[in-house]
Amino acid sequence: MTAWRIAIGAVAATLALPAAAADWAVPPGCSGFLTVQSKECRVSNHYRCSNDSPDRQWQADFDVDGLMLLTQTDAEARQWRIVDPRKGTDLSLDPMSSAIPKLSDLLRYNPDTALEQWMTGADGKKTFFLGFVQVIDEAVVIDGIALQRTVFNISKSVGDTRVVSGERGFGFVHPEWRLMFAGAGERFEGDMSNYKPHDGSPVDFVFADEPGFLSTRPIHDCEMMVSSAEILGSTNSLRDLP
């Protein structure tokens, strides 16, 4: 999860979502408008599609192994769809969701920012996100782009409401772009007593007339990252040793 990167999604063939990261390109009928190079070896490409509602936009996230996540949001920064090609999960916003903060309200520093959101997978299984997100009155400039800070604390439960992961910390929002970005914080997977620090803050904002626009290769904090292909190659080499 990023700053309020709450999962939602169900892939539709009409959106021509890419199947393989190595061959990724903006889908037919879609147009890219922003690339964000972030810490923790991640790059995100943002695009809009003519078949979508005019207020919808997509984000495609990549790491050293390629495409890792596809997320669709609206003008209120509410996440409607998410596709995880590695896990094979495909989630969509569930009508039973009772509290999904709107960006317009967050930007008015509305204190009522509780999040209670259900998503349903293609297999019918439910995922539940519980917590809060707020925009705080603090301006930040990154790569010449003015942003506002967010603060959040969100947990993820599946099926029988068993908590499986969570994240808390600070993020960023660009009010005019209607986009939220990851920041610094801490997260856990499985063990709620074992939060680990992380920082996925944006570093570079790349536009259509600049080198690196729509790149799928992350460039920051990648020195210690090893792709799964490299790990497999090393394992195979060891097997060949006498």
Side-chain angles (χ1 to χ4, degrees):
M1 237 174 336
T2 65
W4 203 25
R5 287 288 314 277
I6 317 298
I8 300 176
V11 183
T14 55
L15 290 171
L17 297 179
D23 303 322
W24 190 88
V26 173
C30 304
S31 178
F33 64 92
L34 177 68
T35 295
V36 183
Q37 289 281 357
S38 301
K39 296 180 179 180
E40 297 186 338
C41 198
R42 190 182 76 256
V43 60
S44 304
N45 289 314
H46 298 263
Y47 58 97
R48 301 183 181 94
C49 300
S50 58
N51 286 339
D52 286 337
S53 171
D55 70 332
R56 303 292 174 86
Q57 51 196 11
W58 285 91
Q59 176 174 328
D61 296 326
F62 302 82
D63 62 10
V64 291
D65 283 321
L67 182 65
M68 56 186 293
L69 203 66
L70 288 162
T71 309
Q72 186 192 50
T73 60
D74 66 10
E76 295 292 353
R78 296 172 298 188
Q79 296 187 336
W80 286 83
R81 305 169 65 160
I82 192 169
V83 180
D84 186 329
R86 298 178 187 174
K87 294 181 179 178
T89 56
D90 174 354
L91 302 176
S92 59
L93 179 63
D94 193 296
M96 70 183 295
S97 299
S98 58
I100 308 176
K102 294 182 179 180
L103 182 57
S104 298
D105 293 333
L106 297 177
L107 292 171
R108 290 194 289 267
Y109 309 112
N110 187 336
D112 184 15
T113 57
L115 175 71
E116 296 180 15
Q117 184 168 349
W118 287 92
M119 273 79 59
T120 303
D123 57 3
K125 293 182 179 179
K126 303 286 187 180
T127 301
F128 181 56
F129 292 90
L130 177 66
F132 76 90
V133 58
Q134 292 180 327
V135 175
I136 57 179
D137 190 12
E138 181 179 342
V140 180
V141 176
I142 298 177
D143 193 27
I145 302 298
L147 306 169
Q148 287 182 258
R149 280 198 184 276
T150 64
V151 59
F152 66 95
N153 189 340
I154 298 170
S155 65
K156 173 184 175 181
S157 304
V158 295
D160 58 358
T161 68
R162 174 175 55 91
V163 177
V164 296
S165 63
E167 183 174 356
R168 60 194 181 196
F170 296 91
F172 307 95
V173 61
H174 192 292
E176 287 73 33
W177 295 347
R178 317 304 284 182
L179 289 174
M180 287 184 164
F181 304 98
E186 53 185 9
R187 61 166 70 104
F188 72 87
E189 294 284 343
D191 183 0
M192 297 178 64
S193 65
N194 188 25
Y195 274 91
K196 296 181 179 180
H198 76 96
D199 187 352
S201 300
V203 179
D204 305 310
F205 293 95
V206 186
F207 301 95
D209 57 346
E210 298 177 337
F213 179 63
L214 297 183
S215 171
T216 60
R217 177 176 292 182
I219 60 176
H220 297 292
D221 299 336
C222 296
E223 297 83 0
M224 299 301 293
M225 300 291 182
V226 179
S227 71
S228 58
E230 291 173 315
I231 293 173
L232 181 60
S234 299
T235 303
N236 289 338
S237 297
L238 288 172
R239 289 173 181 165
D240 295 334
L241 292 175

